[in-house]
Structure formats: structure tokens, C-alpha cells
Amino acid sequence: MNLKQIPVQRYNPEMIAKPVGNYSHVTKIDRNAELYVFSGQIGIDQDNHIPADFNEQVTNTMNNIIAILSSQQLTPDHVIKINIWATEEIDWNHFYEKWNAVFGPTSPSMTVAYIQGLGLPELKIELDVWAAG
């Protein structure tokens, strides 16, 4: 696979408070980069099964993010922003274990929102992924 050059830089400016989680305050995209917007990634597995367990959905969602990026010859380093939509309290220990395994020490920009529901009643989390390559 021929991966695309990574036109993404991430920063946490010294003059503002440090992030309260594993994310970057600023993500800069090079001028000539292509922008990729992916449909929200959910906790469905390869057999089209959506587990009832929240953490299993998180694990599946992260696996799906890696797969959809790879389908475009992109890596997690190409991700510029993720919006996280959850219908119940996130187990941050489990979430960050999976997040850090995917994104490493310099994470993309992030927004988190707790909402009443997602597109299917069994969904508990959905991640909206933006990338540049």
C-alpha cells in the first residue's frame, strides 16, 4: 500500500490551558492536502453485529476507523478531527486505552457530546472522523 504524505501538524499552544484529555487544541492542514470526511463510525463488527456492551462498541469503532482510513491509503496520523457522540457515560480508561493505541501520543482535535440517541437504538457511541492526505 502506498500511503499518502501526512500534511497534518498538531499543537497545544503554551498560552492556553492544557487539554483536559488526549487531544490537540490545534490541528493545521497543509494547503495542498485533500480533505476526507467519513460517515460516523460505529461499534458494528465485521459480521454486522452490534454488541450491547459499550466498551465492545468502542473497540469495534476504533477498528472500523483504522479500516476506513486504510481504504483510502491513510493512517491515524492523517486524522485532523474527531467528534465523539455517546449515549451513556464513557469509560475513559477503556476509551483512552483504545484511542492511544490508534493515535499515539499526539492525538487529533476532539469534541465530545453526550446525546439521547443515535441512528439505531442499539448504538451507544459514534465517532465522526475528518482526515487530510
Side-chain angles (χ1 to χ4, degrees):
M1 176 180 352
N2 187 15
L3 296 178
K4 298 183 189 270
Q5 181 180 356
I6 300 171
V8 177
Q9 298 172 24
R10 299 178 178 134
Y11 304 95
N12 287 308
E14 298 278 329
M15 70 279 301
I16 62 173
K18 292 183 180 190
V20 296
N22 296 2
Y23 60 88
S24 299
H25 279 304
V26 177
T27 301
K28 180 181 173 188
I29 306 157
D30 291 347
R31 172 178 325 202
N32 296 322
E34 290 182 294
L35 184 62
Y36 293 79
V37 179
F38 299 99
S39 294
Q41 295 303 296
I42 58 173
I44 196 167
D45 66 19
Q46 293 300 311
D47 296 322
N48 293 320
H49 174 258
I50 301 171
D53 181 72
F54 185 89
N55 285 342
E56 286 182 54
Q57 286 194 28
V58 168
T59 299
N60 289 347
T61 300
M62 293 298 181
N63 291 338
N64 293 336
I65 288 170
I66 292 168
I68 199 149
L69 290 169
S70 179
S71 77
Q72 301 302 305
Q73 294 76 49
L74 300 172
T75 70
D77 289 333
H78 290 94
V79 174
I80 57 177
K81 175 76 188 274
I82 292 190
N83 297 313
I84 301 167
W85 311 101
T87 61
E88 62 184 58
E89 186 77 23
I90 295 172
D91 172 355
W92 288 105
N93 290 328
H94 179 79
F95 185 89
Y96 277 142
E97 176 186 328
K98 301 303 177 187
W99 177 268
N100 292 342
V102 172
F103 294 108
T106 309
S107 299
S109 297
M110 170 201 297
T111 298
V112 180
Y114 289 103
I115 59 175
Q116 287 187 325
L118 289 160
L120 298 171
E122 59 269 36
L123 293 177
K124 299 180 181 192
I125 191 163
E126 186 168 344
L127 275 66
D128 181 23
V129 181
W130 293 63

